[in-house]
């Protein structure tokens, strides 16, 4: 089930909204350099491919669009990133297919305007190992932006924090993305260790 207002724009336009490495510097917690990572909604690979260069673990890139998955797979192979596994998956409707507690990090970027964000966040919690980190970015709802879903369906950071707590996360912290993503807010949350 494709989420509302979830179509991808032209790639050059899309990447103009982010300084990918700057976002990853703020949100990708490196846990010793060897951990598995999953990205829900990988799109063009804007984040999962650079993230794959920061870990020796497996990076699972999930998207509902076959064309996006093929593109990510081709780019990973071209870059010699043997640790990327791209898969077509309706993770909202059918789950991620990723094993319980197998991931050190999960990324949910620009997806929490979905009709049922709690289902996605619970799935992210399920796949994370105890102490694993979830990073979230989303379009800001307090300003007009050149792209993104309608303001009326964009969650505020406080709403995301409430959802994250309801999905079982703790240590929910808003992260200032600064000039790396002026149209977005960021959040880090941790799966409890106990």
């Amino acid at each position: 089930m494709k989420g509302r207002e979830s179509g991808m724009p032209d790639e050059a336009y899309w990447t103009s909204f982010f300084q990918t490495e700057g976002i990853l510097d703020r949100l990708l917690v490196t846990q010793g350099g060897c951990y598995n990572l999953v990205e829900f909604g990988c799109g063009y690979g804007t984040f999962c491919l650079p993230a794959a260069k920061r870990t020796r673990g497996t990076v699972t890139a999930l998207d509902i669009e076959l064309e996006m998955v093929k593109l990510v797979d081709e780019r990973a192979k071209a870059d010699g990133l043997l640790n990327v596994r791209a898969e077509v998956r309706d993770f909202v409707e059918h789950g991620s297919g990723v094993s319980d507690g197998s991931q050190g990090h999960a990324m949910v970027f620009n997806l929490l305007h979905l009709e049922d964000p709690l289902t996605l966040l619970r799935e992210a919690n399920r796949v994370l190992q105890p102490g694993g980190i979830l990073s979230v970015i989303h379009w800001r709802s307090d300003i007009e932006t050149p792209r993104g879903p309608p303001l009326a369906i964009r969650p505020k950071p406080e709403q995301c924090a409430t959802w994250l707590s309801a999905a079982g996360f703790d240590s929910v912290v808003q992260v200032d993305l600064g000039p790396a993503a002026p149209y977005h807010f960021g959040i880090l949350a941790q799966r409890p260790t106990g």
Side-chain angles (χ1 to χ4, degrees):
M1 175 178 72
K2 190 168 180 176
R4 60 185 173 173
E5 302 291 333
S6 60
M8 290 292 286
D10 172 76
E11 185 175 11
Y13 187 54
W14 175 250
T15 58
S16 73
F17 301 124
F18 313 105
Q19 292 174 11
T20 303
E21 295 296 336
I23 290 171
L24 293 178
D25 287 346
R26 289 172 175 83
L27 296 179
L28 192 62
V29 178
T30 56
Q31 302 166 347
C34 186
Y35 56 91
N36 295 330
L37 178 148
V38 60
E39 182 176 18
F40 294 89
C42 64
Y44 295 110
T46 306
F47 297 100
C48 66
L49 294 175
K53 296 174 183 175
R54 296 177 179 223
T55 182
R56 293 182 311 275
T58 299
V59 174
T60 303
L62 305 174
D63 205 284
I64 197 168
E65 298 288 343
L66 176 62
E67 298 79 23
M68 294 292 152
V69 170
K70 284 181 178 178
L71 182 65
V72 168
D73 190 50
E74 290 168 7
R75 288 180 174 172
K77 287 177 180 154
D79 288 347
L81 297 171
L82 304 177
N83 61 335
V84 175
R85 182 179 67 89
E87 182 180 333
V88 175
R89 190 80 183 185
D90 184 345
F91 47 79
V92 174
E93 188 74 21
H94 303 290
S96 65
V98 175
S99 299
D100 293 358
S102 63
Q103 305 297 300
H105 197 103
M107 299 187 298
V108 174
F109 291 176
N110 299 306
L111 288 177
L112 293 183
H113 59 280
L114 296 170
E115 291 84 348
D116 185 10
L118 268 175
T119 297
L120 174 56
L121 294 174
R122 286 185 183 113
E123 178 66 4
N125 189 312
R126 182 190 68 77
V127 305
L128 283 169
Q129 62 196 28
I133 302 295
L134 171 68
S135 56
V136 172
I137 66 171
H138 207 287
W139 296 96
R140 291 174 50 184
S141 62
D142 61 329
I143 60 170
E144 289 289 335
T145 61
R147 174 77 184 142
L151 290 174
I153 65 170
R154 294 183 194 185
K156 293 178 173 45
E158 300 79 17
Q159 179 63 64
C160 292
T162 299
W163 290 333
L164 287 160
S165 294
F169 288 95
D170 64 10
S171 302
V172 177
V173 178
Q174 189 167 350
V175 177
D176 179 12
L177 299 176
Y183 302 118
H184 292 78
F185 64 85
I187 295 178
L188 287 173
Q190 184 175 31
R191 181 176 175 183
T193 56

